[in-house]
Amino acid sequence: MEGEWVGSQRGLVRNMLWLLVGNLAAQALAAAMGLLLARAVGPHEYGLYATAFSLALAFTYTALMGLDSVIPREVARNPDRAGRVVLSALTSALLWFPVLILLILGTGKALGYSPEVRALLLPAALVIGIRGLINLFRSVLRGLERMDLDAAVQGVENGLALAGVGGVLFLSLSVQKALWAMVGAEALALALAGIWAGRLARPFGWEARLAREIVVSALPLGLTFTLVGLNMRLDTLILSLFRPAQEVGLYNAAVGLMMLARSVGLMAAAFLPRLSFLSGRDETAFARLRDQGLLWMLVPGIGIGLTMTLLAPFLMVLLYGAPFLPAAPALRILGAGAVAVFLNAYFWQVLIARGEQGTIARTTMASLLLSFALAAVLVPRWGALGAAGAVLAREVVQSVLLSRHVLGQPPLTLRRRLWVPFLVAAGAMALALWPAREATGPIALAYLAPALVAYLIVIVGSGVIPLPFGKGDGRKGISRFRRAAGGTD
């Protein structure tokens, strides 16, 4: 019995690792494509691309209206009907596809975008729509617990996009042609994802009642995540209305680095299965695990935030080139909010584990209203710096609101003075990086290495982060988890 349980846990860990590797690889490839495009066409053309794509990306979660969140549950409950689930959901998604495209194009026209930007909106909208269909097939693979194929789909999709954009830019430095190359790459990835999912999801069939049930169940989640998508792109959209394309391009380069850092925060999903299991069964064990996860998220959040804030000039020149150096001040502001970004990603997982998705929706709406009000005031006056300030305020406020719900019940199990080692570690790292704060050359690396070492020495030496593979830890962890489930050792 114990061997079966251990095997199940190993499979769970393997699936989580596949998800993490797939997400990180996809973000790295997408970042590489953005860097290639920015370096090739310069801030102005990249700003046109950023404006069009930011509007399209605001509708990312609208592409499926929550279907990709419901399908894994339905497939996991009825794997023998996976083919019927996917075909019934796919029919609804295909009917919604042209509406989504028109919605994006109509929004661009209503916002009064220039003809240059509107010419890029159609391929950008098609990319978002096709990605939604790919995500539908990926959700089927996750429901069947084939996270390895899910990771493969992400890698193939972003790899094809990178190759397509790179090939087009080699022949012609045209943003529009690069976007159409992305459309072709997404279409090819969609075909491959459909083939992989189709081989596993059998038998095929369409059921009107099943399609209706899936759509009704997905709609609340779809509306919530639509707010999330809009919230994440609102700053760029408002900036594009008041500032020239070049400034939008510079700001989007800084945002791209923040999004890459955000992808590291996806490690928070690794806590979801066990938190879900303990929620409502053993509140004491739930609180201990929740608080341990909080500490683990603070470590990369503080380290990455300090690195982006203090080494912003070096990072912009290293990755995007000298023309993008003016984006460094915006990156400094965005980097200051990295800790809140990591905490928010983790707090979402805790709330989902407790079945409190409504809290996510309410806090997202509150932070969206705040972000809109701040951006409307700050962007016309300070441009990209104002947009970055609105993002910083949004993330911090959302983190404060979420923490009240997440850390209130069950009560915290952490010591009151536990934050002191983090402050000392952050101070040590900041002091080590301070002399390189204006550096744009490789000399910054000579400061970064000892700064990271000092940071980790303080964190590990203080003992606030328990080592995950200490002597006997694995066995003790299994025993505690089994006792929480009501079993015996």
Side-chain angles (χ1 to χ4, degrees), residues 166-344:
V168 166
L169 291 177
F170 180 78
L171 299 173
S172 174
L173 298 181
S174 169
V175 173
Q176 188 171 31
K177 291 179 180 179
L179 272 173
W180 282 111
M182 290 176 62
V183 173
E186 295 289 341
L188 182 56
L190 174 62
L192 293 174
I195 292 173
W196 286 343
R199 289 178 176 176
L200 297 175
R202 301 281 182 172
F204 286 121
W206 180 80
E207 299 179 14
R209 180 179 178 182
L210 179 59
R212 183 170 60 253
E213 291 176 351
I214 292 175
V215 170
V216 171
S217 180
L219 193 57
L221 286 173
L223 294 174
T224 297
F225 286 125
T226 296
L227 290 176
V228 171
L230 178 60
N231 202 12
M232 292 176 62
R233 296 291 168 178
L234 186 63
D235 49 313
T236 305
L237 293 176
I238 293 180
L239 181 66
S240 67
L241 296 176
F242 291 96
R243 294 289 174 147
Q246 180 169 343
E247 187 169 354
V248 177
L250 291 170
Y251 177 71
N252 195 69
V255 171
L257 290 181
M258 174 57 78
M259 296 302 292
L260 188 60
R262 187 187 292 270
S263 69
V264 181
L266 293 174
M267 68 173 67
F271 289 89
L272 178 59
R274 187 165 291 193
L275 285 171
S276 299
F277 180 86
L278 293 174
S279 180
R281 299 190 184 204
D282 188 334
E283 291 301 298
T284 301
F286 177 90
R288 286 200 302 266
L289 181 59
R290 176 202 63 193
D291 297 346
Q292 179 185 342
L294 174 64
L295 297 179
W296 277 105
M297 295 304 292
L298 283 173
V299 174
I302 294 173
I304 291 176
L306 283 173
T307 301
M308 287 198 302
T309 298
L310 292 175
L311 298 186
F314 167 70
L315 293 174
M316 294 307 304
V317 173
L318 173 69
L319 298 174
Y320 289 95
F324 285 86
L325 180 59
L331 181 59
R332 291 192 194 277
I333 297 174
L334 293 173
V339 177
V341 169
F342 275 72
L343 291 180
N344 291 339

Side-chain angles (χ1 to χ4, degrees), residues 140-161:
V140 176
L141 296 174
R142 292 197 301 271
L144 295 171
E145 295 195 41
R146 291 303 306 269
M147 278 65 170
D148 54 336
L149 289 180
D150 175 68
V153 169
Q154 290 192 80
V156 168
E157 177 189 359
N158 288 279
L160 287 173

Side-chain angles (χ1 to χ4, degrees), residues 456-474:
L456 292 176
I457 286 177
V458 175
I459 291 293
V460 175
S462 66
V464 296
I465 300 295
L467 295 178
F469 301 114
K471 183 177 179 181
D473 283 354

Side-chain angles (χ1 to χ4, degrees), residues 49 53 71 88 99 109 128 130 142 151 165 270 347 366 374 400 441 443 453 476:
Y49 159 84
F53 217 73
I71 289 174
S88 299
V99 179
K109 186 174 182 179
I128 297 304
I130 297 173
R142 292 197 301 271
V165 170
F347 289 158
L374 286 176
V400 171
I443 187 64
V453 171
K476 292 178 182 178

Side-chain angles (χ1 to χ4, degrees), residues 310-311 428-440 443-444 447-448 451:
L310 292 175
L311 298 186
M429 186 176 182
L431 287 175
L433 289 178
W434 187 258
R437 64 190 183 280
E438 301 298 336
T440 57
I443 187 64
Y447 291 90
L448 179 59

